Amino acid sequence: MKLKLVLFLTLICLFSSCDESIEVPLLNETKVIGRMTSGTWKITQFTYQNTTKTADYEGVIFDFDAITVSLSNTGTTPVVGSWGVIDEGFVGEPELVVNLALTSVEPRFTNLSDDWYIIESTATKLRLKDENLETGTIDYLTFQKL
């Protein structure tokens, strides 16, 4: 009798845990764009070719709208550009990429112009990475909301 009860409870637990109607909210392009366009941002970490370059962006403010980005406090002429978020993953397994293209010829801004894979996206932080195929290093970029 105990064996039947154990088998019955095991089957109930097994089948009740397979509920496919429960979905984990996925990060999607719209969510990232919505977060980035609500407020201004600063760089809190930038590692380029194994060298920390965060100080190069001290005081620079990033203002993202739906398709453009403008920078202020650059110390030079204003910097503008475009940006977007695309999904390079598979159905149900998104791999979101932020494409950032700035117009400046200054290396500190051209180094940011790239396709960056999203590591983390919250309402106040966007962490990105990019593998540099020429050097084999991984570059990291983090934006923090002001």
Side-chain angles (χ1 to χ4, degrees):
M1 182 67 175
K2 278 186 175 181
L3 182 59
K4 287 182 183 181
L5 181 61
V6 170
L7 286 174
F8 179 71
L9 291 175
T10 303
L11 288 174
I12 288 175
C13 289
L14 179 65
F15 288 113
S16 66
S17 65
C18 294
D19 184 5
E20 292 184 28
S21 65
I22 299 172
E23 291 187 22
V24 176
L26 295 174
L27 188 60
N28 61 40
E29 300 96 316
T30 305
K31 188 178 280 187
V32 174
I33 291 169
R35 289 173 176 170
M36 295 303 289
T37 57
S38 67
T40 55
W41 299 76
K42 67 178 181 176
I43 290 177
T44 56
Q45 184 217 6
F46 181 50
T47 304
Y48 180 73
Q49 296 181 353
N50 292 327
T51 304
T52 300
K53 301 280 188 175
T54 310
D56 292 349
Y57 307 93
E58 185 69 35
V60 176
I61 308 298
F62 291 75
D63 189 9
F64 296 88
D65 73 16
I67 57 172
T68 63
V69 59
S70 58
L71 285 60
S72 57
N73 300 331
T74 61
T76 61
T77 58
V79 177
V80 295
S82 63
W83 78 291
V85 180
I86 57 172
D87 184 352
E88 292 188 349
F90 301 104
V91 174
E93 295 181 27
E95 186 167 22
L96 298 182
V97 174
V98 173
N99 177 279
L100 188 58
L102 301 175
T103 58
S104 177
V105 295
E106 284 187 66
R108 69 181 174 144
F109 296 117
T110 58
N111 290 341
L112 297 177
S113 295
D114 211 335
D115 291 335
W116 296 89
Y117 288 87
I118 296 177
I119 301 171
E120 175 186 2
S121 175
T122 69
T124 59
K125 183 189 289 187
L126 180 67
R127 292 183 58 225
L128 308 167
K129 75 175 184 175
D130 177 54
E131 184 174 352
N132 187 320
L133 298 177
E134 294 174 10
T135 63
T137 60
I138 297 178
D139 302 333
Y140 294 95
L141 175 61
T142 302
F143 288 98
Q144 190 79 35
K145 189 173 186 177
L146 294 174

